[in-house]
Amino acid sequence: MAAVEIQLPEGFATVAEYAAEIKHVYKQYAHLPNMHIVDFFVTGFWQTLPREWQEYFEASDFELSSLLSLASTGQLDQRAPESLHSYVRAMFHLRLNYHGSPPTDQIEKENHQQELWYFLDSMSPKKKIEVAELSQLVANVASESKCSLVVDVGAGQGYLSRVLAYSSTGLPVLAVDSSPKQQRGAESMQRRTIKRLQGPRAAANGFKWDSERAARLEHTVMHVSLDNASQLAEAAHATAPDARWMMCGLHACGDLSSAVLKAFAESDATAVVLVPCCYNHISETSQEGSV
């Protein structure tokens, strides 16, 4: 299957142009992305918004449901102040376009969804969607890049790792997390998942468990930072010395995302699939004028 392609927004010929515009827009609106959602409610960030924005959102005839349309279409009603229109236009101008969602045979899709029940049953609805979609993307990228090892960075409770290792994707996975507590939790859930996969319901649905599956998933505790990102390559080589390998991360928080990208750029990793989060926790060390 073809991996999802990402194209630059209209008006940008190179990645450098796109990055420069992101930097320019960020300078204009830096106070907004720096507002962590929790701090917004508890430290009075509302008062830092432009007064005309506050008045627009506080108007008695403003409908909260309109924010859903705003998020997907970028459309504001005419009553919104021009400064808010400008902000929304700037954000949507930078929005990446995704093309080529991999087609899946309907029978294969139904079988895949049935199989995922054994892994997703205990997750929240949001986590189920994230893990199901990202595991398929990682599997596609691994197949196209001929990778035989996936390093899951910031693996946490191992939700994504288990799907990659134990489902039909069958990818060897090294699950990396900085917390021994998270590792113990992941290993506990791993044992429960294996027990479920060995049960009569799985057998009745045609799922065949074998001892080789259990060996596909390894856990390790490692604190990954910008200063020691090379440890990821060392861990991958120690796990599978001759394997082509890739990295992935779901909700890699703050500087962990930067560390993963640094490790990818400086190592022999073949591919990376990354879903960052908590951008406001990313350390800013770039110098003025750099992109």
Side-chain angles (χ1 to χ4, degrees), residues 3-290:
V4 175
E5 297 180 0
I6 301 178
Q7 298 181 354
L8 291 175
E10 185 177 349
F12 297 102
T14 66
V15 173
E17 289 181 10
Y18 179 59
E21 182 62 16
I22 290 177
K23 184 176 180 181
H24 172 71
V25 172
Y26 180 80
K27 285 183 177 180
Q28 286 183 283
Y29 301 107
H31 61 291
L32 294 176
N34 284 335
M35 293 181 183
H36 191 274
I37 188 63
V38 175
D39 295 337
F40 187 91
F41 290 107
V42 300
T43 59
F45 272 138
W46 174 258
Q47 301 304 322
T48 68
L49 294 177
R51 184 58 196 167
E52 56 188 358
W53 293 20
Q54 296 180 43
E55 293 174 351
Y56 171 69
F57 290 124
E58 289 177 337
S60 59
D61 57 350
F62 176 76
E63 297 182 2
L64 285 175
S65 59
S66 66
L67 292 178
L68 296 175
S69 174
L70 170 61
S72 59
T73 68
Q75 298 299 314
L76 286 165
D77 63 54
Q78 295 302 313
R79 296 170 299 171
E82 178 55 33
S83 59
L84 183 55
H85 279 285
S86 296
Y87 170 71
V88 172
R89 284 195 297 268
M91 294 300 104
F92 270 75
H93 181 53
L94 295 173
R95 188 173 61 169
L96 291 171
N97 299 310
Y98 296 80
H99 299 284
S101 181
T104 305
D105 179 84
Q106 186 60 34
I107 296 178
E108 290 183 359
K109 184 175 182 180
E110 291 176 359
N111 291 339
H112 182 61
Q113 291 298 323
Q114 184 181 56
E115 180 185 52
L116 286 179
W117 177 86
Y118 299 100
F119 305 95
L120 308 184
D121 186 49
S122 61
M123 300 182 198
S124 67
K126 175 176 177 290
K127 180 70 73 174
K128 287 180 180 180
I129 295 173
E130 292 171 341
V131 171
E133 294 295 327
L134 192 64
S135 62
Q136 188 63 61
L137 177 58
V138 171
N140 291 344
V141 172
S143 176
E144 290 201 348
S145 57
K146 295 179 172 57
C147 289
S148 55
L149 174 67
V150 177
V151 179
D152 183 8
V153 187
Q157 294 288 305
Y159 297 112
L160 178 62
S161 299
R162 285 190 294 278
V163 173
L164 292 172
Y166 295 155
S167 70
S168 56
T169 57
L171 290 166
V173 177
L174 176 62
V176 177
D177 200 88
S178 63
S179 169
K181 182 178 180 180
Q182 289 281 53
Q183 181 192 23
R184 290 192 296 270
E187 291 174 338
S188 176
M189 295 184 71
Q190 178 178 344
R191 290 190 291 270
R192 293 200 296 271
T193 300
I194 290 176
K195 185 176 181 180
R196 175 178 286 185
L197 292 172
Q198 293 173 325
R201 176 171 178 174
N205 288 332
F207 191 94
K208 297 180 180 179
W209 177 263
D210 57 72
S211 58
E212 292 183 0
R213 287 181 183 265
R216 291 176 186 165
L217 177 56
E218 296 183 29
H219 297 270
T220 187
V221 175
M222 180 191 306
H223 178 73
V224 180
S225 69
L226 288 167
D227 296 327
N228 67 1
S230 60
Q231 287 190 52
L232 290 172
E234 295 171 4
H237 295 154
T239 302
D242 299 321
R244 289 170 64 89
W245 65 287
M246 64 173 289
M247 288 177 283
C248 70
L250 174 59
H251 295 168
C253 183
D255 283 340
L256 182 58
S257 293
S258 303
V260 170
L261 294 177
K262 181 180 180 182
F264 172 68
E266 296 179 351
S267 72
D268 59 347
T270 305
V272 61
V273 176
L274 185 64
V275 180
C277 73
C278 300
Y279 300 99
N280 59 305
H281 290 164
I282 293 178
S283 300
E284 298 181 34
T285 57
S286 62
Q287 297 181 357
E288 184 67 26
S290 65

